[in-house]
Amino acid sequence: MLEEVERWLADRSWSAADRPLDQLLDRKRAAGTTVSVVLPALDEEATVGAIVEVVRRELIEGLPVPLVDELVVVDSGSADRTAEVAAKAGARVVHRDEILPRLPALPGKGEVLWRSLLATHGDIVCFVDADLRDFSAAFVSGIVGPLLTEPDVHFVKAMYDRPLGDTPGQGGRVTELVARPLLNLHWPQLAGFVQPLGGEYAVRRSLLERLPFPVGYGVELGLLVDALHTVGLDALAQVDVGVRLHRHQDGQALGRMAAAIYRTAQVRLSRGHLVRPELTQFERGPEGFVPRTYPVDTEERPPMAGIEEYALRRVA
């Protein structure tokens, strides 16, 4: 590991307990900083309501000054009751296609996160996946904390244990097999991130609006790499928030995720184009293995700062 990364681990890796909530509220009040929490959601009726309830109860309603000013669920076309459950729990629900309607929406998580910048106003934007179980408010307060107390920190990722069933530490298979090797080989300054693909991170809007967003599963790696090049390693940090429990994808879904992440890395390494941005996987059928070919996400949205509607909103 680079000496720079060893120093960074000592200086920029914290625990959620390092910053008590009352300290964060004092800093937030003094600075007048606003915080938006965004949950991208697709068919998450089983978990999204509980997450919204915890954020509202512990970070909005039960405090003398709310830590969270805006709680938004962006629904990307759920076929279940995700939107209804989220609204009933107290979130403002926005449908992906209602944001920036002049641009037809592309499928993918990154698309939803990118559009959420137009649907929110906070100085700090905190993203939280909507499939978490046994959710703790520390997933929000922990990663927002350094942005309220450390003026030179711009991007904070959550780190946590990820059990796979009853086996501790075996979650995050795409991280260990794809993302971590890529980062260590090509961006060794980022080798200290425990969960580089984690969906829980908080970022200053002033940085987010300057970054391109891969529309699919590559969004977390893309944002992290581009943030490194934009603001430098010392502006990045991570916070231990405990244990992350969520549903796990099957092996084939993980393969598609891995291909999108590799593509995102490849674009950043060469800014070139794949001859064949597709991934073929195999499923056993009645007569043997059947090939299934899927497109690999290749689209990216430009920095939000260059979008006319966003610029007009800021002027207004």
Side-chain angles (χ1 to χ4, degrees):
M1 184 177 290
L2 298 174
E3 289 186 10
E4 179 184 9
V5 176
E6 292 181 352
R7 178 192 54 76
W8 177 85
L9 277 170
D11 294 342
R12 288 289 185 260
S13 294
W14 296 294
S15 167
D18 291 337
R19 293 175 176 80
L21 193 54
D22 57 353
Q23 177 190 5
L24 300 184
L25 296 179
D26 287 344
R27 295 295 184 91
K28 183 176 185 291
R29 183 190 297 111
T33 305
T34 54
V35 176
S36 299
V37 172
V38 173
L39 277 69
L42 176 63
D43 296 330
E44 303 293 357
E45 67 174 357
T47 51
V48 68
I51 298 172
V52 170
E53 288 173 359
V54 169
V55 174
R56 288 202 62 84
R57 181 176 66 248
E58 299 187 26
L59 301 179
I60 298 177
E61 296 171 348
L63 301 174
V65 177
L67 182 70
V68 173
D69 300 279
E70 189 175 36
L71 176 54
V72 179
V73 170
V74 183
D75 183 25
S76 57
S78 297
D80 65 3
R81 297 173 56 251
T82 291
E84 178 184 345
V85 170
K88 185 176 181 180
R92 176 164 64 91
V93 177
V94 182
H95 295 276
R96 176 198 61 193
D97 296 350
E98 297 173 354
I99 308 170
L100 203 59
R102 72 174 175 85
L103 290 181
L106 297 169
K109 178 184 179 182
E111 177 82 355
V112 175
L113 300 185
W114 182 71
R115 288 176 185 256
S116 76
L117 296 183
L118 259 173
T120 57
H121 297 83
D123 303 310
I124 295 170
V125 182
C126 176
F127 298 120
V128 176
D129 281 350
D131 66 341
L132 303 188
R133 295 184 285 108
D134 298 335
F135 178 77
S136 166
F139 273 76
V140 173
S141 60
I143 58 177
V144 167
L147 298 173
L148 294 173
T149 62
E150 311 290 334
D152 54 346
V153 172
H154 292 260
F155 189 118
V156 183
K157 296 216 68 156
M159 56 177 168
Y160 34 67
D161 295 317
R162 292 186 66 183
L164 181 61
D166 296 327
T167 306
Q170 294 301 307
R173 291 161 287 173
V174 175
T175 293
E176 299 304 329
L177 295 174
V178 181
R180 200 176 307 285
L182 283 171
L183 293 177
N184 276 262
L185 290 171
H186 300 296
W187 296 280
Q189 287 179 296
L190 298 176
F193 276 93
V194 176
Q195 298 291 351
L197 299 185
E200 291 70 45
Y201 45 104
V203 192
R204 297 192 192 278
R205 178 178 292 270
S206 57
L207 173 58
L208 277 178
E209 65 188 15
R210 296 159 60 194
L211 301 179
F213 278 62
V215 301
Y217 285 124
V219 63
E220 271 80 31
L221 184 136
L223 290 177
L224 189 60
V225 169
D226 291 342
L228 172 68
H229 291 305
T230 303
V231 294
L233 181 60
D234 283 341
L236 315 181
Q238 60 186 348
V239 174
D240 188 348
V241 298
V243 179
R244 186 184 197 268
L245 300 175
H246 66 117
R247 59 181 171 80
H248 292 277
Q249 304 277 2
D250 62 33
Q252 297 220 331
L254 294 178
R256 296 190 290 275
M257 188 182 303
I261 290 165
Y262 180 83
R263 165 62 178 175
T264 300
Q266 188 268 344
V267 168
R268 276 149 184 78
L269 286 168
S270 66
R271 293 295 168 182
H273 300 280
L274 291 179
V275 175
R276 183 176 176 269
E278 296 178 332
L279 174 71
T280 298
Q281 298 177 316
F282 293 88
E283 300 175 3
R284 183 181 288 280
E287 299 179 0
F289 287 101
V290 179
R292 307 286 188 195
T293 299
Y294 301 89
V296 173
D297 295 320
T298 59
E299 298 290 340
E300 295 197 7
R301 292 303 193 184
M304 186 58 80
I307 298 299
E308 181 181 2
E309 288 87 342
Y310 190 80
L312 291 174
R313 190 188 75 170
R314 297 188 67 177
V315 171

